[in-house]
Amino acid sequence: MTAHETDKYVYDFAEGNKDLKDLLGGKGANLAEMTNLGLPVPPGFTITTGACQAYLATGREPDGLAGQIEAHLQALEREMGRRLGDPDDPLLVSVRSGARFSMPGMMETVLNVGLNDRSVVGLARQAGGSAGPTASGGSADPTASGGNDRFAWDSYRRLIQMFGKTVCEVPGEEFEHALDEAKRAKGTHDDLDLDADDLRGLVETYKKIFAEHTGREFPQEPREQLDLAIRAVFESWNAERAILYRRQERIPADLGTAVNVVAMVFGNLGPDSGTGVAFTRDPGSGAQGIYGDYLANAQGEDVVAGIRNTVPLQELERLDKTSYDQLLDIMARLEGHYQDLCDIEFTIERGKLWMLQTRVGKRTAAAAFVIAGQLVDEGLIDLDEALHRVNGAQLAQLMFPRFQLDHDVPPVARGIGASPGAASGAVVFTSARAVELAAEGKAVILVRRETNPDDLNGMIAAQGILTSRGGKTSHAAVVARGMGKTCVSGADEIEVNVPAKRFTVGGRTVSEGDVVSIDGTTGKVYLGEVPVVPSEVVQYFEGSLDPAHVDNALVRAVHRIMTHADARRRLAVRTNADTGADAARARRFGAEGIGLCRTEHMFLGDRRELVERLILAATDTDRTDALAALLPLQRQDFVEIFREMAGLPVTVRLIDPPLHEFLPPLEQLAVNVAVAQERGEDVAKEEALLAAVRRMHEENPMLGLRGVRLGLVIPGLFAMQVRAIAEAAVAVTRDGGAACPEIMVPLVGAVQELETVRAEAEKIIAEVVGDSGVEVLIGTMIEVPRAALTAGQIAEAAQFFSFGTNDLTQMGWGFSRDDVEGAFFWRYLELGIFGISPFESIDRDGVGRLIRIAAEEGRAARPGLKLGVCGEHGGDPDSVHFFHEVGLDYVSCSPFRVPVARLEAGRAAIETTGSDSR
Ligand code: ADP
Ligand code: MG
Ligand code: MG
């Protein structure tokens, strides 16, 4: 966009509204909204994100901006009856950044712009003249106590500090040290004990610091202060930490920030003034009530900066009942208006309440559900809207086991909750030690400064991972999330000493073998073992908590919203389950069938022996014997699963992994043979095995003899499995049950492969099924890119498609999953090549495109072709929305993620029907 003279860059608060966030940023849009609601907002104006974009594109303020700022400033001066920085009676303003999305990495606000060596005197005089100090009990004469002198010099030193730090990059500690020094000289820890003279002295020191670091005097010209502050806000958009934050949060880089210029109101005028923050409900639990903090005689950031102890908001009722009642009134109005939990910032200036910010507030996962439920009860929103306001990631969080709430162990450190869950174990400092102890059956927590790819084995072996460095995209965090393993990263109070095998925290030493507990949701670290309990939400899904009888707001809200999601969704949700027990749990969690039953485990355990015989078979008879021995065992496995699923569809995948995975590893066999030979034992069998393993060795097993290729190369293997499935289905049906098997052929790339397998399978099925009424479908997995691209041909031979998105991602990207995630994905995330691993969330543009093509061409060739997905993506919230959009019939995921998929399928359905009201 090119800037021209006529572009409107500045909006008065009265001109905006809450829907103009793109233009005015979140803060500006909501200040406008509150202004138009008639709430007491100090007057001001907003400079648009467009002005920022133009500035960033050209390196200078766009034409017309200066003039528009001047006009709005003059209007503000008229309204306030004061001029910016007037020596006798100054108007002061704050300059506040505020982007479309709230960004903690952005510039801080500059308060008190307009103060200088002369207006500070005018401010003191005016402050004293307008009203007398009250609670201090002194006289109304400002010169007597110096109370308002104090206020003016306090405001001035704050300006130099904030301006120096955020506009001119003077290190903030310099100012803080000077302040500490002043307090020390006075023999106090409380900034309120500093009087006007102390603060005047501090201003001198601050000015020296400013001049030393910037090479110029602190700017005295008010308008210059304003312009420099505005420009600094523009530029803060491209500060390194802002860029990093945007990358992590997937916020587009070109939005720019708005700038709000707001007339100052003063919470630091004395004990009858103050500042606070509040929530309209508890953002932790969702409970209704009054939640907030208040700090008397303070300005802006003091509340959150923790320089003095705040008091609970309820205290305000005692301190200033009028303002308190008005505040509660306003909070109720805001909730009604935004129809949601709001958080607010306010200031009281000598008994007069001012609103400085509001927004729909952040909340925990539990609060999100509880509040959505409450708002439905209160008639503020409908169930569609409630469903829209929660999400699968929140539900997943509520399903992790957690530490027992009433444990009395205080945390010793707090880092970043990088991967949720609760884990306890013995501390170890190296990957090797983690593996050793885990092999002995010990639970361990791997503690590192940061992890790297060499730590992978240790991370797999550990219950949890604790690092003292790194954020949410560090190696530890990314890999742990990928593994679903609990991780706390960046716990920087911890000093890790790997060679000494210990860490220290808060003066305590924790050595290898000592037990710690980490909470990957809150980031808290505890010494010793903290008991873990299954979450209430899981108990509810398991059926052990009845929402009708339980006095638990969370469980009731989850129940209500899940029921609505089920009513709304079009996608069916199945589960990936290989055993009767998994199938049973998944059904309790709401699964409507099995989308992927792997048959690999049916070749393991005591059946290995038979598999070895099969692989080593020298003659057709040997092979047929081995297969015949496997048949009844597999049939029994299927009988159990079909019974458990009671007539729901069960997709069984024929054997997929390379056969040598069922044999012992080469090195181990070689050693066995050597040892046995040494002892003079008969080694014929071992030697034969060893030779077979050598023969079957593959450079790239993922791309080798597996899936349908096995079926085509090893006679009788698929036939045995097909027979076991069909016979199990008939047996269950004969017993009065029902079975709906769907046989899925893996790794097909060409229709000819499928046709060959299908012809043989159909013969067997016809023979087994006879007149039992059992129907067996035959379809294929779409997981080789070629299959997706020739889906029209393949559909001719397939009664259903199931997208194997794990392999489709591996082969689509050419990534070997087991190798790349631990080795270098952290770097790809850091560079922003993708925002999330494509194995976690479907890559819409690439892999997703293959799915789209296959779905369209498959259905064109065979109308009504049943389409599903069975990769782990089936339980990923964002991917579920994609599968809904593409028109699949179902998703399938691990039992634990079934509820998440149900919820997201419901959300996807209401979003596409357009009932999104926000
Ligand atoms: P953030 O986005 O970090 O919350 P804000 O722009 O909201 O930054 O400002 C920081 C602090 O300064 C907040 O406590 C806010 O209420 C306070 N503040 C901002 N503008 C004014 C003003 N005009 N008068 C008094 N306090 C203000
Ligand atoms: Mg704020
Ligand atoms: Mg596969």
Side-chain angles (χ1 to χ4, degrees):
M1 196 182 71
T2 54
H4 28 97
E5 201 89 32
T6 51
D7 278 347
K8 183 168 166 62
Y9 289 122
V10 185
Y11 284 69
D12 193 82
F13 286 167
E15 292 176 281
N17 67 60
K18 71 172 174 5
D19 299 321
L20 294 180
K21 291 197 183 72
D22 286 336
L23 186 69
L24 304 177
K27 199 179 285 170
N30 287 324
L31 281 167
E33 188 77 11
M34 286 199 293
T35 302
N36 291 322
L37 282 173
L39 302 184
V41 177
F45 53 86
T46 304
I47 302 165
T48 64
T49 52
C52 176
Q53 289 161 10
Y55 176 86
L56 293 175
T58 62
R60 58 178 196 83
E61 284 79 2
D63 293 342
L65 178 60
Q68 291 182 36
I69 291 177
E70 184 59 36
H72 280 267
L73 182 61
Q74 282 177 15
L76 182 62
E77 290 176 334
R78 274 196 303 279
E79 181 170 359
M80 302 298 292
R82 298 186 166 115
R83 281 187 309 106
L84 183 70
D86 186 301
D88 293 324
D89 185 9
L91 167 67
L92 305 185
V93 296
S94 61
V95 177
R96 316 168 67 184
S97 65
R100 169 74 180 83
F101 303 100
S102 121
M103 287 178 49
M106 295 283 293
M107 183 191 115
E108 291 156 58
T109 288
V110 184
L111 302 178
N112 308 329
V113 168
L115 275 179
N116 56 25
D117 294 350
R118 291 167 64 208
S119 61
V120 68
V121 180
L123 180 69
R125 194 165 45 234
Q126 291 299 333
S130 56
T134 48
S136 61
S139 81
D141 176 2
T143 52
S145 69
N148 298 306
D149 265 1
R150 183 196 182 282
F151 151 72
W153 287 100
D154 182 49
S155 302
Y156 193 20
R157 70 96 191 155
R158 285 170 191 268
L159 169 66
I160 302 170
Q161 185 165 358
M162 281 185 269
F163 191 95
K165 188 172 152 212
T166 62
V167 180
C168 301
E169 285 161 27
V170 180
E173 312 88 74
E174 298 263 340
F175 295 117
E176 270 143 41
H177 289 159
L179 180 59
D180 288 343
E181 181 55 33
K183 284 192 251 182
R184 213 182 47 77
K186 193 86 179 179
T188 180
H189 292 294
D190 189 343
D191 60 321
L192 287 182
D193 289 334
L194 297 179
D195 62 22
D197 283 339
D198 302 324
L199 291 164
R200 190 182 287 118
L202 198 55
V203 162
E204 285 314 308
T205 315
Y206 276 14
K207 283 205 252 174
K208 279 202 202 90
I209 295 172
F210 185 95
E212 264 163 35
H213 279 273
T214 63
R216 61 165 290 183
E217 295 301 317
F218 177 75
Q220 292 289 314
E221 178 52 51
R223 182 61 204 264
E224 188 192 0
Q225 291 175 359
L226 179 63
D227 288 339
L228 287 175
I230 292 170
R231 180 180 293 183
V233 175
F234 286 163
E235 284 174 356
S236 71
W237 179 258
N238 281 335
E240 204 168 315
R241 57 187 184 151
I243 292 173
L244 255 165
Y245 181 82
R246 283 199 294 275
R247 225 181 247 157
Q248 276 174 35
E249 302 293 317
R250 311 306 286 165
I251 296 174
D254 55 2
L255 297 180
T257 178
V259 188
N260 302 287
V261 177
V262 189
M264 282 304 299
V265 292
F266 300 101
N268 53 338
L269 262 172
D272 57 349
S273 303
T275 181
V277 295
F279 293 87
T280 56
R281 305 183 189 222
D282 182 352
S285 70
Q288 275 148 310
I290 294 151
Y291 296 88
D293 299 302
Y294 182 71
L295 191 58
N297 203 0
Q299 192 173 52
E301 304 283 63
D302 293 358
V303 180
V304 273
I307 57 154
R308 270 184 275 142
N309 285 338
T310 57
V311 297
L313 187 56
Q314 282 86 338
E315 277 285 295
L316 182 61
E317 181 168 24
R318 201 175 49 74
L319 296 171
D320 181 351
K321 173 121 172 74
T322 316
S323 296
Y324 180 75
D325 290 344
Q326 192 191 354
L327 184 66
L328 293 200
D329 238 39
I330 289 175
M331 296 205 310
R333 261 187 85 186
L334 285 174
E335 263 219 345
H337 185 71
Y338 284 87
Q339 303 181 337
D340 207 344
L341 159 82
C342 295
D343 70 25
I344 61 166
E345 292 174 2
F346 65 94
T347 278
I348 295 173
E349 179 181 310
R350 288 195 169 134
K352 163 110 181 83
L353 174 68
W354 293 98
M355 300 298 296
L356 290 172
Q357 189 171 334
T358 192
R359 67 187 155 196
V360 167
K362 294 209 163 70
R363 65 206 71 186
T364 61
F369 277 87
V370 170
I371 291 172
Q374 288 167 355
L375 295 174
V376 172
D377 287 339
E378 292 165 28
L380 282 174
I381 61 173
D382 62 14
L383 272 167
D384 270 2
E385 180 62 20
L387 176 56
H388 176 69
R389 287 188 186 184
V390 296
N391 62 51
Q394 291 166 334
L395 184 62
Q397 260 193 35
L398 296 175
M399 292 177 68
F400 281 106
R402 54 170 178 70
F403 289 130
Q404 212 169 297
L405 278 183
D406 53 2
H407 69 81
D408 43 356
V409 192
V412 288
R414 190 169 186 157
I416 293 164
S419 179
S424 294
V427 165
V428 292
F429 294 91
T430 62
S431 189
R433 192 71 184 132
V435 172
E436 264 170 49
L437 289 184
E440 293 168 18
K442 282 222 178 81
V444 299
I445 305 286
L446 178 64
V447 182
R448 306 282 291 166
R449 206 161 290 155
E450 329 176 63
T451 59
N452 63 47
D454 295 336
D455 292 315
L456 205 59
N457 287 332
M459 294 174 76
I460 293 169
Q463 297 296 303
I465 298 127
L466 169 62
T467 69
S468 61
R469 300 242 293 266
K472 271 204 171 228
T473 58
S474 61
H475 177 266
V478 172
V479 175
R481 277 201 299 278
M483 294 181 193
K485 194 143 285 187
T486 300
C487 175
V488 171
S489 66
D492 53 13
E493 297 136 273
I494 288 178
E495 241 352 287
V496 181
N497 187 339
V498 173
K501 297 189 193 165
R502 61 175 143 78
F503 71 76
T504 51
V505 60
R508 285 200 262 195
T509 300
V510 178
S511 306
E512 183 177 287
D514 293 349
V515 172
V516 300
S517 301
I518 60 174
D519 185 330
T521 307
T522 62
K524 288 182 184 161
V525 181
Y526 305 89
L527 297 187
E529 177 144 4
V530 177
V532 171
V533 291
S535 83
E536 282 150 343
V537 170
V538 166
Q539 292 176 41
Y540 153 68
F541 284 128
E542 286 282 6
S544 56
L545 274 187
D546 178 355
H549 295 114
V550 116
D551 179 32
N552 180 316
L554 176 59
V555 167
R556 282 209 311 275
V558 168
H559 172 68
R560 196 152 173 211
I561 293 172
M562 289 304 293
T563 309
H564 188 65
D566 285 340
R568 289 301 241 143
R569 69 189 155 90
R570 183 186 57 68
L571 278 174
V573 177
R574 297 195 193 176
T575 191
N576 299 352
D578 306 346
T579 63
D582 276 359
R585 155 167 272 180
R587 277 202 69 188
R588 292 197 297 277
F589 281 15
E592 300 161 288
I594 293 182
L596 176 61
C597 171
R598 299 177 183 88
T599 51
E600 288 73 279
H601 80 279
M602 300 177 182
F603 292 82
L604 295 173
D606 48 8
R607 301 171 191 183
R608 264 181 204 276
E609 172 83 37
L610 294 172
V611 177
E612 281 174 18
R613 265 173 57 197
L614 170 69
I615 295 171
L616 298 178
T619 65
D620 282 354
T621 336
D622 287 353
R623 189 178 49 246
T624 332
D625 287 353
L627 286 169
L630 278 166
L631 175 70
L633 302 172
Q634 295 227 335
R635 184 173 55 219
Q636 188 51 35
D637 293 331
F638 292 127
V639 164
E640 276 168 34
I641 292 168
F642 292 153
R643 282 220 178 96
E644 208 56 73
M645 295 313 283
L648 295 173
V650 175
T651 306
V652 180
R653 179 177 72 182
L654 300 180
I655 187 164
D656 180 50
L659 280 189
H660 55 77
E661 283 194 10
F662 301 96
L663 298 179
L666 184 66
E667 303 77 27
Q668 188 193 322
L669 272 175
V671 171
N672 290 356
V673 168
V675 170
Q677 273 170 340
E678 192 81 353
R679 294 199 193 120
E681 290 168 10
D682 175 21
V683 291
K685 190 177 154 237
E686 273 75 14
E687 275 177 341
L689 259 183
L690 181 59
V693 170
R694 287 225 167 92
R695 199 171 55 241
M696 292 165 78
H697 173 79
E698 293 176 313
E699 289 299 337
N700 293 306
M702 291 311 295
L703 302 175
L705 180 59
R706 53 177 285 230
V708 67
R709 304 160 195 176
L710 280 174
L712 299 177
V713 168
I714 303 188
L717 178 60
F718 276 12
M720 180 276 289
Q721 289 200 292
V722 169
R723 183 175 294 278
I725 294 165
E727 288 182 359
V730 170
V732 169
T733 311
R734 292 248 152 89
D735 279 356
C740 292
E742 303 176 339
I743 294 178
M744 178 158 78
V745 184
L747 223 73
V748 163
V751 66
Q752 294 84 348
E753 293 171 316
L754 183 60
E755 277 166 348
T756 310
V757 171
R758 187 177 170 188
E760 187 188 19
E762 276 178 341
K763 249 188 256 147
I764 297 167
I765 292 168
E767 181 193 315
V768 174
V769 163
D771 58 0
S772 64
V774 169
E775 202 193 343
V776 183
L777 301 186
I778 300 178
T780 184
M781 253 168 127
I782 302 288
E783 54 184 341
V784 175
R786 190 181 187 282
L789 297 172
T790 58
Q793 295 168 14
I794 292 179
E796 303 284 349
Q799 290 174 288
F800 64 88
F801 283 175
S802 176
F803 292 97
T805 50
N806 296 346
D807 263 310
L808 199 56
T809 302
Q810 284 210 121
M811 295 192 222
W813 278 89
F815 279 152
S816 158
R817 172 176 196 165
D818 294 338
D819 298 317
V820 294
E821 283 200 305
F824 63 77
F825 264 24
W826 61 273
R827 182 65 181 147
Y828 271 49
L829 289 160
E830 205 173 74
L831 290 170
I833 293 172
F834 34 66
I836 180 166
S837 158
F839 290 106
E840 253 181 83
S841 191
I842 199 83
D843 151 37
R844 289 176 177 240
D845 298 342
V847 178
R849 176 127 198 274
L850 289 170
I851 294 173
R852 251 182 223 285
I853 291 171
E856 275 164 25
E857 296 186 2
R859 282 216 172 118
R862 183 190 281 258
L865 177 71
K866 195 182 328 190
L867 300 174
V869 59
C870 61
E872 265 309 303
H873 297 91
D876 167 66
D878 196 50
S879 309
V880 171
H881 286 244
F882 176 75
F883 299 136
H884 173 90
E885 277 166 39
V886 178
L888 302 197
D889 296 301
Y890 69 86
V891 296
S892 185
C893 53
S894 55
F896 240 78
R897 297 173 89 184
V898 164
V900 171
R902 284 163 53 202
L903 183 76
E904 289 294 351
R907 297 185 68 232
I910 59 166
E911 273 160 29
T912 43
T913 57
S915 56
D916 180 354
S917 63
R918 284 213 288 187

